[in-house]
């Protein structure tokens, strides 16, 4: 692949990211109407689908020269089987992607640029197809809800029993779908280390206007079936004999809890520091369990960070910054970080300033969607106006954050 051309041309596309992704889906559904049923039906969910598409494309371009790219693409192909994606769909997607890039690039779209993107897409499609073909796992796991706990209005912990054992490691996540919101998948962390009975806990924070998170927190009942995609994520314990610091915010507590369960089952030789920050008391729903661990195991110390009474909820992260600065020893630590994207970015920068080594700071990447300067009018992004059954400008919603 011609990395120089791909990166320079993508810089042009990034400036019109929203136009590019909308044009892509418009072109795809107009020329391949049979594919529409594979995608979410609501306009809000399609908005989020567009964000995830551009986030994935951004990840690929950023890692063109990285040895992790092909494994990432193979895993992506394996995971896409849950969407009922087959080899025949890749040609249609490639045609629409090139059309969208050409439309967005304007005069910057030259024969050399087109050739570079065509070759790059073939590499992407080949890797994803190979990943799907090589996988021995099912496209998804059906899982029964056996327990549903709700904390406050917006937090739910669902215990699921997959019909087949789910192969995962503590700290990983799965994508989840419910028949209540068909064709919609969201990613949630597994909140426990593997168990003998194969059950898993999902920790879900309801997102305003998030249809699936609302259904999972407020509507789904024991006995219902959910679908789980293949486990993913790299925030798993390294076991390198170094001290460990675990830092969690909100329902970012879920993967940290799973890591802590693994440490309890197989105690470490070094000390473990746990920092739990919450903007509201409801997010400390597992505090009794944490306190029990801290009392039972001398190698574990716990620090809670919440706003002072009457203070703004953002004070929790300010108090965390103070606590991290006071603790020290960061160059010696393996640090595991989990929470909302902005929290992780800010905390990772702070830890770097405190001396934490980048190669010992572990968290899963949270893709960023395109920066939307303003909504685009329908005439600005349609090649040919599609049938109105999927276009609903009045239903546009803010982007739901990726992840927990």
């Amino acid at each position: 692949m011609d990395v120089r051309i791909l990166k320079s041309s993508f810089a042009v596309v990034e400036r019109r990211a929203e136009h590019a992704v909308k044009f892509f889906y418009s072109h795809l559904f107009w020329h391949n109407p049979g594919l529409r049923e594979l995608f979410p039906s609501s306009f809000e969910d399609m908005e989020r689908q567009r964000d995830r598409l551009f986030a994935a494309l951004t990840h690929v371009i950023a890692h063109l020269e990285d040895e992790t790219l092909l494994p990432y693409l193979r895993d992506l192909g394996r995971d896409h089987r849950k969407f009922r994606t087959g080899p025949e769909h890749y040609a249609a997607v490639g045609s629409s992607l090139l059309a969208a890039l050409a439309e967005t690039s304007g005069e910057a779209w030259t024969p050399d640029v087109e050739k570079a993107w065509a070759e790059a897409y073939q590499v992407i499609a080949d890797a994803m197809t190979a990943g799907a073909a090589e996988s021995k796992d099912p496209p998804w796991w059906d899982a029964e809800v056996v327990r549903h706990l709700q904390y406050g209005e917006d937090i739910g912990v669902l215990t699921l029993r997959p019909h087949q054992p789910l192969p995962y490691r503590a700290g990983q996540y799965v994508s989840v779908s419910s028949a209540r919101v068909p064709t919609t998948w969201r990613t949630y962390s597994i909140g426990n280390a593997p168990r003998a009975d194969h059950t898993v806990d999902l920790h879900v924070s309801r997102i305003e206007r998030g249809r699936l998170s609302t259904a999972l927190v407020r509507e789904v009942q024991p006995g219902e079936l959910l679908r789980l995609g293949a486990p993913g994520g790299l925030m798993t314990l390294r076991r390198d004999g170094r001290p460990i610091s675990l830092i969690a915010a909100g329902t970012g507590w879920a993967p940290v809890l799973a890591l802590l369960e693994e440490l309890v089952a197989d105690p470490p030789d070094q000390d473990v520091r746990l920092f739990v920050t919450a903007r509201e008391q409801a997010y400390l729903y597992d505090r009794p369990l944490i306190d029990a661990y801290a009392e039972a195991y001398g190698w574990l110390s716990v620090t809670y960070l919440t706003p002072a009474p009457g203070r703004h909820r953002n004070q929790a992260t300010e108090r965390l910054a103070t606590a991290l600065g006071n603790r020290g020893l960061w160059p010696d630590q393996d640090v595991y970080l989990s929470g909302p994207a902005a929290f992780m970015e800010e905390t990772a920068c702070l830890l770097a300033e405190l001396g934490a080594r980048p190669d010992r700071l572990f968290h899963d990447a949270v893709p960023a969607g395109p920066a939307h300067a303003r909504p685009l009018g329908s005439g600005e992004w349609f090649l040919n106006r599609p049938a109105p059954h999927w276009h609903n400008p009045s239903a546009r919603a803010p982007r739901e954050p990726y992840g927990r």
Side-chain angles (χ1 to χ4, degrees):
M1 293 185 289
D2 193 318
V3 175
R4 182 186 61 82
I5 289 181
L6 292 172
K7 288 191 173 183
S8 61
S9 67
F10 189 69
V12 176
V13 173
E14 279 187 303
R15 293 196 287 270
R16 303 185 69 199
E18 185 177 10
H19 179 98
V21 292
K22 287 188 173 183
F23 190 98
F24 166 80
Y25 281 110
S26 173
H27 188 281
L28 181 66
F29 297 152
W30 179 256
H31 292 284
N32 305 275
L35 295 184
R36 182 63 186 91
E37 66 181 17
L38 302 182
F39 291 82
S41 57
S42 77
F43 189 79
E44 292 93 335
D45 287 334
M46 276 305 301
E47 286 291 285
R48 298 179 186 114
Q49 178 70 29
R50 295 180 183 114
D51 283 345
R52 288 196 298 276
L53 168 71
F54 199 81
L57 191 58
T58 301
H59 179 91
V60 169
I61 295 301
H63 294 82
L64 286 173
E65 299 173 281
D66 194 324
E67 62 183 12
T68 65
L69 179 59
L70 287 179
Y72 165 82
L73 292 172
R74 286 193 290 269
D75 286 345
L76 198 61
R78 177 196 63 168
D79 186 60
H80 268 58
R81 294 175 304 146
K82 70 175 183 269
F83 301 119
R84 294 176 288 161
T85 301
E88 67 277 9
H89 298 131
Y90 285 94
V93 169
S95 176
S96 294
L97 177 62
L98 292 179
L101 293 170
E103 165 69 17
T104 310
S105 299
E107 294 182 357
W109 189 256
T110 66
D112 286 342
V113 172
E114 182 174 7
K115 179 175 181 291
W117 275 105
E119 292 173 347
Y121 180 75
Q122 193 60 54
V123 171
I124 293 170
D126 288 347
M128 292 181 65
T129 302
E134 293 167 0
S135 178
K136 302 296 191 296
D137 293 327
W140 61 76
W141 283 257
D142 289 320
E144 179 185 355
V145 180
V146 297
R147 185 178 66 170
H148 185 292
L149 301 177
Q150 187 169 339
Y151 300 91
E153 291 294 317
D154 296 325
I155 300 171
V157 177
L158 288 72
T159 300
L160 313 179
R161 180 178 290 112
H163 289 177
Q164 303 177 58
L166 181 70
Y168 73 96
R169 293 182 60 190
Q172 290 191 305
Y173 55 80
V174 290
S175 52
V176 181
S177 181
S178 166
R180 291 178 179 268
V181 191
T183 70
T184 296
W185 294 79
R186 292 288 178 269
T187 303
Y188 298 101
S189 288
I190 298 175
N192 60 279
R195 296 169 175 155
D197 66 359
H198 304 299
T199 58
V200 297
D201 293 339
L202 298 182
H203 294 227
V204 182
S205 178
R206 192 185 76 86
I207 302 299
E208 189 65 29
R209 300 180 71 178
R211 296 170 68 229
L212 182 58
S213 64
T214 297
L216 293 176
V217 172
R218 297 184 176 178
E219 301 168 13
V220 166
Q221 299 295 320
E224 292 189 38
L225 288 180
L226 302 180
R227 284 181 171 178
L228 308 180
L234 300 175
M235 205 181 81
T236 54
L237 287 175
R238 269 58 182 180
R239 294 286 187 177
D240 290 328
R242 289 186 288 268
I244 294 173
S245 289
L246 307 171
I247 305 174
T251 45
W253 163 240
V256 167
L257 173 58
L259 297 178
L260 191 56
E261 281 193 8
E262 181 177 321
L263 290 167
V264 166
D266 183 10
D269 296 327
Q270 301 287 338
D271 290 339
V272 176
R273 307 187 299 193
L274 172 62
F275 300 86
V276 183
T277 181
R279 293 180 175 182
E280 300 174 10
Q281 288 296 322
Y283 281 94
L284 294 180
Y285 51 90
D286 263 331
R287 182 164 183 168
L289 175 62
I290 308 174
D291 290 341
Y293 281 157
E295 183 176 351
Y297 303 103
W299 44 262
L300 176 63
S301 65
V302 180
T303 303
Y304 298 103
L305 293 311
T306 57
R311 297 297 298 274
H312 191 275
R313 61 204 301 260
N314 287 344
Q315 192 197 31
T317 51
E318 297 172 6
R319 299 181 80 175
L320 173 65
T322 300
L324 297 181
N326 290 337
R327 293 303 292 270
L329 303 177
W330 293 108
D332 302 325
Q333 301 282 315
D334 279 352
V335 184
Y336 297 84
L337 179 63
S338 181
F343 165 81
M344 289 202 296
E345 182 178 359
E346 294 171 6
T347 306
C349 290
L350 172 61
L351 290 169
E353 293 174 1
L354 294 173
R357 289 180 47 170
D359 61 330
R360 296 181 185 173
L361 178 59
F362 307 111
H363 60 84
D364 281 320
V366 179
H372 301 322
R374 62 182 178 85
L376 296 176
S378 59
E380 190 173 353
W381 62 274
F382 281 154
L383 173 65
N384 293 299
R385 187 177 181 86
H389 70 278
W390 71 275
H391 176 231
N392 182 8
S394 65
R396 182 184 174 108
R399 177 175 180 262
E400 177 180 348
Y402 172 94
R404 320 297 181 238

